[in-house]
Short mmCIF file of all heavy atoms in Angstrom, two decimals:
data_model
loop_
_atom_site.label_atom_id
_atom_site.label_comp_id
_atom_site.label_asym_id
_atom_site.label_seq_id
_atom_site.Cartn_x
_atom_site.Cartn_y
_atom_site.Cartn_z
N MET A 1185 121.40 138.58 60.07
CA MET A 1185 121.42 137.23 59.75
C MET A 1185 122.47 136.42 60.54
O MET A 1185 122.12 135.34 60.99
CB MET A 1185 121.83 137.13 58.24
CG MET A 1185 122.01 135.75 57.60
SD MET A 1185 120.41 134.84 57.58
CE MET A 1185 120.77 133.53 56.71
N ILE A 1186 123.57 137.07 60.79
CA ILE A 1186 124.56 136.32 61.60
C ILE A 1186 124.12 136.19 63.09
O ILE A 1186 124.43 135.15 63.62
CB ILE A 1186 125.91 137.10 61.55
CG1 ILE A 1186 127.01 136.23 62.19
CG2 ILE A 1186 125.85 138.46 62.35
CD1 ILE A 1186 127.54 135.18 61.26
N THR A 1187 123.24 137.02 63.46
CA THR A 1187 122.69 136.90 64.78
C THR A 1187 121.82 135.63 64.95
O THR A 1187 121.83 134.90 65.97
CB THR A 1187 121.87 138.18 65.19
OG1 THR A 1187 122.71 139.29 65.10
CG2 THR A 1187 121.35 138.00 66.65
N TYR A 1188 121.02 135.43 63.89
CA TYR A 1188 120.29 134.23 63.90
C TYR A 1188 121.07 132.98 63.80
O TYR A 1188 120.64 132.04 64.45
CB TYR A 1188 119.17 134.20 62.66
CG TYR A 1188 118.15 135.31 62.74
CD1 TYR A 1188 117.98 136.14 61.68
CD2 TYR A 1188 117.40 135.41 63.91
CE1 TYR A 1188 116.91 137.13 61.73
CE2 TYR A 1188 116.34 136.36 64.01
CZ TYR A 1188 116.21 137.23 62.90
OH TYR A 1188 115.20 138.17 63.05
N LEU A 1189 122.10 132.89 63.05
CA LEU A 1189 122.93 131.70 62.95
C LEU A 1189 123.66 131.51 64.30
O LEU A 1189 123.77 130.39 64.72
CB LEU A 1189 124.02 131.97 61.87
CG LEU A 1189 123.47 131.91 60.43
CD1 LEU A 1189 124.58 132.25 59.40
CD2 LEU A 1189 122.88 130.52 60.19
N ALA A 1190 124.09 132.57 64.90
CA ALA A 1190 124.75 132.42 66.26
C ALA A 1190 123.79 131.96 67.27
O ALA A 1190 124.08 131.13 68.07
CB ALA A 1190 125.39 133.76 66.72
N THR A 1191 122.55 132.46 67.31
CA THR A 1191 121.53 132.04 68.16
C THR A 1191 121.17 130.63 67.93
O THR A 1191 121.06 129.80 68.96
CB THR A 1191 120.22 132.85 68.04
OG1 THR A 1191 120.57 134.25 68.21
CG2 THR A 1191 119.16 132.44 68.96
N GLY A 1192 121.05 130.15 66.76
CA GLY A 1192 120.77 128.74 66.42
C GLY A 1192 121.86 127.92 66.87
O GLY A 1192 121.60 126.74 67.47
N PHE A 1193 123.10 128.21 66.63
CA PHE A 1193 124.22 127.45 67.03
C PHE A 1193 124.35 127.35 68.56
O PHE A 1193 124.56 126.25 69.18
CB PHE A 1193 125.57 127.98 66.52
CG PHE A 1193 126.78 127.24 66.83
CD1 PHE A 1193 126.91 126.03 66.30
CD2 PHE A 1193 127.76 127.75 67.73
CE1 PHE A 1193 128.01 125.21 66.63
CE2 PHE A 1193 128.88 126.96 68.00
CZ PHE A 1193 128.99 125.71 67.40
N ALA A 1194 124.01 128.41 69.27
CA ALA A 1194 124.02 128.43 70.70
C ALA A 1194 122.91 127.50 71.25
O ALA A 1194 123.13 126.77 72.28
CB ALA A 1194 123.84 129.90 71.20
N LEU A 1195 121.80 127.54 70.60
CA LEU A 1195 120.66 126.58 71.11
C LEU A 1195 121.09 125.16 70.85
O LEU A 1195 120.73 124.28 71.70
CB LEU A 1195 119.39 126.92 70.34
CG LEU A 1195 118.68 128.25 70.85
CD1 LEU A 1195 117.56 128.49 69.95
CD2 LEU A 1195 118.21 128.03 72.17
N VAL A 1196 121.80 124.90 69.76
CA VAL A 1196 122.15 123.49 69.59
C VAL A 1196 123.15 123.05 70.69
O VAL A 1196 123.14 121.93 71.20
CB VAL A 1196 122.86 123.34 68.21
CG1 VAL A 1196 123.64 122.00 68.08
CG2 VAL A 1196 121.85 123.46 67.10
N LEU A 1197 124.08 123.91 71.03
CA LEU A 1197 125.01 123.63 72.07
C LEU A 1197 124.34 123.45 73.44
O LEU A 1197 124.59 122.58 74.28
CB LEU A 1197 126.09 124.71 72.29
CG LEU A 1197 127.09 124.89 71.05
CD1 LEU A 1197 127.94 126.10 71.33
CD2 LEU A 1197 127.89 123.58 70.96
N VAL A 1198 123.23 124.24 73.72
CA VAL A 1198 122.54 124.16 74.95
C VAL A 1198 121.82 122.81 75.01
O VAL A 1198 121.92 122.07 76.05
CB VAL A 1198 121.48 125.29 75.13
CG1 VAL A 1198 120.48 125.02 76.20
CG2 VAL A 1198 122.22 126.59 75.40
N PHE A 1199 121.15 122.41 73.96
CA PHE A 1199 120.43 121.15 73.91
C PHE A 1199 121.29 120.01 73.98
O PHE A 1199 121.01 118.97 74.66
CB PHE A 1199 119.51 121.05 72.71
CG PHE A 1199 118.16 121.91 72.94
CD1 PHE A 1199 118.00 122.94 72.02
CD2 PHE A 1199 117.38 121.82 73.90
CE1 PHE A 1199 116.88 123.71 72.11
CE2 PHE A 1199 116.26 122.54 74.15
CZ PHE A 1199 116.10 123.64 73.19
N GLU A 1200 122.40 120.06 73.27
CA GLU A 1200 123.44 118.91 73.32
C GLU A 1200 124.05 118.77 74.71
O GLU A 1200 124.20 117.73 75.12
CB GLU A 1200 124.52 119.20 72.22
CG GLU A 1200 124.05 119.03 70.78
CD GLU A 1200 123.77 117.55 70.41
OE1 GLU A 1200 124.32 116.66 71.01
OE2 GLU A 1200 122.85 117.38 69.52
N GLY A 1201 124.41 119.89 75.30
CA GLY A 1201 124.92 119.92 76.59
C GLY A 1201 123.99 119.35 77.65
O GLY A 1201 124.24 118.60 78.48
N LEU A 1202 122.74 119.74 77.47
CA LEU A 1202 121.67 119.33 78.45
C LEU A 1202 121.47 117.72 78.31
O LEU A 1202 121.39 117.09 79.33
CB LEU A 1202 120.40 120.07 78.09
CG LEU A 1202 119.24 119.95 79.03
CD1 LEU A 1202 119.58 120.41 80.48
CD2 LEU A 1202 117.98 120.67 78.54
N ALA A 1203 121.43 117.30 77.02
CA ALA A 1203 121.30 115.85 76.86
C ALA A 1203 122.40 115.07 77.45
O ALA A 1203 122.25 114.04 78.14
CB ALA A 1203 121.16 115.52 75.40
N LEU A 1204 123.64 115.53 77.25
CA LEU A 1204 124.80 114.91 77.82
C LEU A 1204 124.86 114.96 79.32
O LEU A 1204 125.27 113.98 80.04
CB LEU A 1204 126.16 115.52 77.19
CG LEU A 1204 126.40 115.15 75.79
CD1 LEU A 1204 127.57 115.91 75.26
CD2 LEU A 1204 126.73 113.64 75.75
N ALA A 1205 124.43 116.09 79.91
CA ALA A 1205 124.38 116.19 81.37
C ALA A 1205 123.35 115.38 82.05
O ALA A 1205 123.55 114.81 83.11
CB ALA A 1205 124.19 117.67 81.69
N LEU A 1206 122.16 115.29 81.45
CA LEU A 1206 121.03 114.58 82.13
C LEU A 1206 120.95 113.16 81.78
O LEU A 1206 120.44 112.32 82.61
CB LEU A 1206 119.77 115.29 81.73
CG LEU A 1206 119.55 116.75 82.16
CD1 LEU A 1206 118.25 117.27 81.70
CD2 LEU A 1206 119.61 116.84 83.69
N ALA A 1207 121.45 112.74 80.61
CA ALA A 1207 121.26 111.30 80.30
C ALA A 1207 122.48 110.75 79.43
O ALA A 1207 122.36 110.36 78.30
CB ALA A 1207 119.94 111.13 79.46
N PRO A 1208 123.61 110.73 80.11
CA PRO A 1208 124.83 110.30 79.32
C PRO A 1208 124.66 108.87 78.88
O PRO A 1208 125.20 108.49 77.74
CB PRO A 1208 126.04 110.46 80.32
CG PRO A 1208 125.33 110.60 81.68
CD PRO A 1208 123.91 111.09 81.45
N SER A 1209 124.06 107.96 79.68
CA SER A 1209 123.92 106.60 79.20
C SER A 1209 122.96 106.43 77.98
O SER A 1209 123.14 105.58 77.17
CB SER A 1209 123.45 105.65 80.35
OG SER A 1209 122.10 106.11 80.77
N ARG A 1210 121.99 107.26 77.95
CA ARG A 1210 121.01 107.27 76.80
C ARG A 1210 121.73 107.72 75.53
O ARG A 1210 121.62 107.23 74.46
CB ARG A 1210 119.87 108.29 76.96
CG ARG A 1210 118.88 107.69 78.00
CD ARG A 1210 118.27 106.50 77.45
NE ARG A 1210 116.87 106.44 77.80
CZ ARG A 1210 116.12 105.50 77.59
NH1 ARG A 1210 116.51 104.34 76.98
NH2 ARG A 1210 114.82 105.45 77.90
N ILE A 1211 122.70 108.71 75.68
CA ILE A 1211 123.50 109.09 74.50
C ILE A 1211 124.40 107.95 74.00
O ILE A 1211 124.49 107.70 72.77
CB ILE A 1211 124.35 110.35 74.91
CG1 ILE A 1211 123.57 111.60 75.29
CG2 ILE A 1211 125.40 110.70 73.74
CD1 ILE A 1211 122.65 112.13 74.22
N GLU A 1212 124.94 107.27 74.93
CA GLU A 1212 125.68 106.14 74.51
C GLU A 1212 124.87 105.07 73.75
O GLU A 1212 125.35 104.47 72.82
CB GLU A 1212 126.32 105.36 75.73
CG GLU A 1212 127.49 106.26 76.33
CD GLU A 1212 128.08 105.59 77.62
OE1 GLU A 1212 127.68 104.46 77.99
OE2 GLU A 1212 129.01 106.28 78.27
N GLU A 1213 123.64 104.81 74.31
CA GLU A 1213 122.71 103.89 73.65
C GLU A 1213 122.41 104.38 72.24
O GLU A 1213 122.37 103.60 71.29
CB GLU A 1213 121.48 103.71 74.43
CG GLU A 1213 121.71 103.01 75.71
CD GLU A 1213 120.46 102.96 76.63
OE1 GLU A 1213 119.31 103.33 76.11
OE2 GLU A 1213 120.52 102.55 77.79
N ALA A 1214 122.18 105.69 72.11
CA ALA A 1214 121.78 106.22 70.83
C ALA A 1214 122.97 106.12 69.79
O ALA A 1214 122.74 105.70 68.66
CB ALA A 1214 121.43 107.62 70.93
N LEU A 1215 124.24 106.31 70.35
CA LEU A 1215 125.36 106.20 69.41
C LEU A 1215 125.64 104.74 69.03
O LEU A 1215 126.00 104.54 67.91
CB LEU A 1215 126.65 106.78 70.22
CG LEU A 1215 126.61 108.30 70.28
CD1 LEU A 1215 127.84 108.73 71.16
CD2 LEU A 1215 126.61 108.94 68.98
N ALA A 1216 125.33 103.92 70.00
CA ALA A 1216 125.50 102.38 69.66
C ALA A 1216 124.43 101.96 68.64
O ALA A 1216 124.79 101.27 67.62
CB ALA A 1216 125.34 101.59 70.94
N PHE A 1217 123.23 102.54 68.77
CA PHE A 1217 122.21 102.22 67.74
C PHE A 1217 122.60 102.75 66.39
O PHE A 1217 122.55 102.10 65.35
CB PHE A 1217 120.93 102.77 68.15
CG PHE A 1217 119.87 102.87 67.08
CD1 PHE A 1217 119.23 101.59 66.74
CD2 PHE A 1217 119.55 104.00 66.38
CE1 PHE A 1217 118.27 101.68 65.72
CE2 PHE A 1217 118.58 103.95 65.36
CZ PHE A 1217 117.90 102.77 65.01
N LEU A 1218 123.15 104.04 66.33
CA LEU A 1218 123.60 104.65 65.02
C LEU A 1218 124.76 103.75 64.48
O LEU A 1218 124.83 103.72 63.28
CB LEU A 1218 123.92 106.07 65.30
CG LEU A 1218 122.80 107.03 65.45
CD1 LEU A 1218 123.32 108.39 65.81
CD2 LEU A 1218 121.89 107.01 64.28
N ALA A 1219 125.61 103.31 65.38
CA ALA A 1219 126.77 102.56 64.85
C ALA A 1219 126.42 101.20 64.30
O ALA A 1219 127.02 100.69 63.45
CB ALA A 1219 127.79 102.36 65.99
N SER A 1220 125.28 100.65 64.81
CA SER A 1220 124.70 99.41 64.35
C SER A 1220 124.05 99.53 62.96
O SER A 1220 123.94 98.54 62.17
CB SER A 1220 123.74 98.73 65.26
OG SER A 1220 122.57 99.50 65.22
N LEU A 1221 123.70 100.68 62.52
CA LEU A 1221 123.09 100.91 61.22
C LEU A 1221 124.17 101.06 60.09
O LEU A 1221 125.30 101.43 60.40
CB LEU A 1221 122.28 102.26 61.20
CG LEU A 1221 121.15 102.36 62.07
CD1 LEU A 1221 120.52 103.75 62.01
CD2 LEU A 1221 120.02 101.29 61.79
N GLY A 1222 123.82 100.57 58.89
CA GLY A 1222 124.76 100.68 57.80
C GLY A 1222 124.84 102.17 57.40
O GLY A 1222 124.02 102.90 57.68
N PRO A 1223 125.81 102.43 56.55
CA PRO A 1223 126.06 103.86 56.11
C PRO A 1223 124.79 104.27 55.27
O PRO A 1223 124.43 105.51 55.49
CB PRO A 1223 127.21 103.75 55.21
CG PRO A 1223 127.97 102.48 55.53
CD PRO A 1223 126.95 101.50 56.12
N GLU A 1224 124.20 103.49 54.52
CA GLU A 1224 123.07 103.93 53.74
C GLU A 1224 121.84 104.31 54.61
O GLU A 1224 121.15 105.27 54.38
CB GLU A 1224 122.70 102.92 52.62
CG GLU A 1224 123.54 102.85 51.49
CD GLU A 1224 123.83 104.16 50.78
OE1 GLU A 1224 122.75 104.78 50.57
OE2 GLU A 1224 124.95 104.57 50.52
N ARG A 1225 121.62 103.53 55.59
CA ARG A 1225 120.52 103.77 56.60
C ARG A 1225 120.82 105.04 57.41
O ARG A 1225 119.86 105.81 57.63
CB ARG A 1225 120.33 102.61 57.56
CG ARG A 1225 120.03 101.30 56.94
CD ARG A 1225 118.57 101.08 56.66
NE ARG A 1225 117.85 101.20 58.01
CZ ARG A 1225 116.65 100.76 58.00
NH1 ARG A 1225 116.01 100.22 57.03
NH2 ARG A 1225 115.94 100.85 59.13
N ARG A 1226 122.08 105.17 57.82
CA ARG A 1226 122.45 106.45 58.53
C ARG A 1226 122.20 107.71 57.61
O ARG A 1226 121.72 108.72 58.05
CB ARG A 1226 123.77 106.41 59.01
CG ARG A 1226 124.01 105.49 60.26
CD ARG A 1226 125.35 105.74 60.93
NE ARG A 1226 126.46 105.53 60.09
CZ ARG A 1226 127.21 104.40 59.98
NH1 ARG A 1226 126.86 103.42 60.72
NH2 ARG A 1226 128.25 104.43 59.23
N ARG A 1227 122.58 107.59 56.33
CA ARG A 1227 122.48 108.60 55.37
C ARG A 1227 120.98 109.01 55.16
O ARG A 1227 120.59 110.17 55.11
CB ARG A 1227 123.08 108.26 54.00
CG ARG A 1227 122.98 109.40 52.99
CD ARG A 1227 123.79 109.02 51.71
NE ARG A 1227 125.15 109.13 52.05
CZ ARG A 1227 126.00 108.09 51.91
NH1 ARG A 1227 125.61 106.91 51.54
NH2 ARG A 1227 127.27 108.19 52.17
N MET A 1228 120.11 107.96 55.10
CA MET A 1228 118.66 108.17 54.96
C MET A 1228 118.09 108.83 56.10
O MET A 1228 117.24 109.75 56.04
CB MET A 1228 118.03 106.86 54.64
CG MET A 1228 116.51 106.98 54.19
SD MET A 1228 116.19 108.08 52.88
CE MET A 1228 117.01 107.22 51.56
N LEU A 1229 118.53 108.33 57.37
CA LEU A 1229 118.01 108.96 58.50
C LEU A 1229 118.43 110.41 58.65
O LEU A 1229 117.64 111.30 59.07
CB LEU A 1229 118.58 108.21 59.74
CG LEU A 1229 118.19 108.68 61.19
CD1 LEU A 1229 116.72 108.68 61.35
CD2 LEU A 1229 118.99 107.89 62.19
N GLY A 1230 119.67 110.70 58.24
CA GLY A 1230 120.16 112.12 58.16
C GLY A 1230 119.41 113.00 57.18
O GLY A 1230 119.03 114.10 57.56
N LEU A 1231 119.03 112.38 56.03
CA LEU A 1231 118.28 113.15 55.14
C LEU A 1231 116.78 113.42 55.61
O LEU A 1231 116.30 114.53 55.35
CB LEU A 1231 118.24 112.41 53.79
CG LEU A 1231 119.55 112.47 53.00
CD1 LEU A 1231 119.49 111.56 51.75
CD2 LEU A 1231 119.92 113.78 52.61
N VAL A 1232 116.24 112.45 56.29
CA VAL A 1232 114.90 112.60 56.93
C VAL A 1232 114.90 113.66 57.87
O VAL A 1232 114.05 114.61 57.92
CB VAL A 1232 114.36 111.20 57.38
CG1 VAL A 1232 113.07 111.51 58.23
CG2 VAL A 1232 114.09 110.34 56.17
N VAL A 1233 115.90 113.65 58.80
CA VAL A 1233 116.02 114.63 59.85
C VAL A 1233 116.19 116.00 59.25
O VAL A 1233 115.65 116.96 59.73
CB VAL A 1233 117.00 114.27 60.88
CG1 VAL A 1233 117.38 115.43 61.87
CG2 VAL A 1233 116.63 113.03 61.64
N LEU A 1234 117.08 116.11 58.23
CA LEU A 1234 117.28 117.36 57.60
C LEU A 1234 115.97 117.87 56.94
O LEU A 1234 115.77 119.13 57.09
CB LEU A 1234 118.32 117.14 56.45
CG LEU A 1234 118.68 118.33 55.57
CD1 LEU A 1234 119.32 119.43 56.32
CD2 LEU A 1234 119.49 117.83 54.37
N ALA A 1235 115.22 117.00 56.21
CA ALA A 1235 114.06 117.44 55.64
C ALA A 1235 113.03 117.97 56.78
O ALA A 1235 112.40 118.98 56.57
CB ALA A 1235 113.39 116.31 54.82
N LEU A 1236 112.98 117.29 57.88
CA LEU A 1236 112.09 117.69 58.91
C LEU A 1236 112.46 119.02 59.49
O LEU A 1236 111.64 119.94 59.80
CB LEU A 1236 112.07 116.60 60.10
CG LEU A 1236 111.37 115.36 59.71
CD1 LEU A 1236 111.54 114.37 60.85
CD2 LEU A 1236 109.85 115.65 59.58
N GLY A 1237 113.78 119.22 59.63
CA GLY A 1237 114.33 120.54 60.13
C GLY A 1237 113.92 121.64 59.11
O GLY A 1237 113.49 122.73 59.60
N VAL A 1238 114.15 121.45 57.90
CA VAL A 1238 113.87 122.42 56.86
C VAL A 1238 112.36 122.83 56.94
O VAL A 1238 111.93 123.84 56.77
CB VAL A 1238 114.37 121.98 55.49
CG1 VAL A 1238 113.94 122.95 54.45
CG2 VAL A 1238 115.98 122.04 55.56
N GLY A 1239 111.59 121.71 56.92
CA GLY A 1239 110.12 121.92 56.95
C GLY A 1239 109.68 122.66 58.16
O GLY A 1239 108.81 123.57 58.01
N LEU A 1240 110.26 122.32 59.21
CA LEU A 1240 109.89 123.06 60.52
C LEU A 1240 110.33 124.60 60.37
O LEU A 1240 109.53 125.46 60.75
CB LEU A 1240 110.55 122.43 61.68
CG LEU A 1240 110.22 122.99 63.04
CD1 LEU A 1240 108.62 122.96 63.35
CD2 LEU A 1240 110.95 122.17 64.17
N LEU A 1241 111.45 124.80 59.95
CA LEU A 1241 111.88 126.20 59.68
C LEU A 1241 110.99 126.97 58.76
O LEU A 1241 110.58 128.07 58.97
CB LEU A 1241 113.33 126.25 59.22
CG LEU A 1241 114.46 125.96 60.27
CD1 LEU A 1241 115.84 125.79 59.62
CD2 LEU A 1241 114.38 126.98 61.31
N TRP A 1242 110.62 126.20 57.66
CA TRP A 1242 109.75 126.86 56.62
C TRP A 1242 108.39 127.16 57.29
O TRP A 1242 107.81 128.26 57.12
CB TRP A 1242 109.63 125.93 55.48
CG TRP A 1242 108.60 126.41 54.43
CD1 TRP A 1242 108.80 127.33 53.50
CD2 TRP A 1242 107.20 126.05 54.31
NE1 TRP A 1242 107.67 127.59 52.78
CE2 TRP A 1242 106.69 126.83 53.31
CE3 TRP A 1242 106.38 125.14 55.05
CZ2 TRP A 1242 105.41 126.69 52.97
CZ3 TRP A 1242 105.15 124.99 54.68
CH2 TRP A 1242 104.57 125.72 53.64
N LEU A 1243 107.86 126.25 58.11
CA LEU A 1243 106.57 126.42 58.76
C LEU A 1243 106.65 127.64 59.75
O LEU A 1243 105.82 128.49 59.76
CB LEU A 1243 106.16 125.14 59.45
CG LEU A 1243 104.85 125.29 60.16
CD1 LEU A 1243 103.59 125.41 59.23
CD2 LEU A 1243 104.65 123.95 61.01
N MET A 1244 107.67 127.64 60.59
CA MET A 1244 107.87 128.75 61.54
C MET A 1244 107.96 130.13 60.80
O MET A 1244 107.44 131.05 61.26
CB MET A 1244 109.11 128.51 62.36
CG MET A 1244 108.92 127.34 63.31
SD MET A 1244 110.35 126.88 64.20
CE MET A 1244 111.27 128.28 64.64
N LYS A 1245 108.75 130.05 59.63
CA LYS A 1245 109.01 131.36 58.96
C LYS A 1245 107.58 131.81 58.38
O LYS A 1245 107.24 133.05 58.34
CB LYS A 1245 109.99 131.19 57.82
CG LYS A 1245 110.24 132.42 57.09
CD LYS A 1245 111.38 132.30 56.13
CE LYS A 1245 111.48 133.56 55.25
NZ LYS A 1245 112.71 133.94 54.86
N SER A 1246 106.87 130.82 57.78
CA SER A 1246 105.53 131.24 57.21
C SER A 1246 104.47 131.68 58.17
O SER A 1246 103.69 132.55 57.97
CB SER A 1246 105.03 130.16 56.34
OG SER A 1246 104.68 129.06 57.12
N LEU A 1247 104.67 131.13 59.42
CA LEU A 1247 103.64 131.50 60.51
C LEU A 1247 103.95 132.84 61.10
O LEU A 1247 103.08 133.60 61.59
CB LEU A 1247 103.51 130.42 61.53
CG LEU A 1247 102.90 129.08 61.11
CD1 LEU A 1247 102.95 128.08 62.22
CD2 LEU A 1247 101.49 129.35 60.69
N THR A 1248 105.26 133.09 61.32
CA THR A 1248 105.64 134.33 62.03
C THR A 1248 105.94 135.40 61.00
O THR A 1248 106.01 136.62 61.41
CB THR A 1248 106.94 134.05 62.81
OG1 THR A 1248 107.96 133.67 61.93
CG2 THR A 1248 106.78 133.02 63.87
N GLY A 1249 106.19 135.22 59.77
CA GLY A 1249 106.46 136.22 58.79
C GLY A 1249 107.81 136.83 58.87
O GLY A 1249 108.09 137.92 58.36
N ILE A 1250 108.79 136.13 59.49
CA ILE A 1250 110.14 136.64 59.61
C ILE A 1250 110.85 136.33 58.45
O ILE A 1250 110.88 135.24 57.94
CB ILE A 1250 110.83 136.14 60.87
CG1 ILE A 1250 110.14 136.66 62.16
CG2 ILE A 1250 112.25 136.62 60.94
CD1 ILE A 1250 110.69 136.05 63.41
#
């Protein structure tokens, strides 16, 4: 289980680093967009992304049987 968590964390770092290395100005634009949203909109966006992530994990688990 800890191996899966470490792998997931490492992949997050890889993708975050890749985004920062390849498109730093886009990251600034995304952060400015998020800053322009109110707290409730950011919370809702976070919950939607969370639900999508959980749904994707559930789908992957059900398809692979892991």
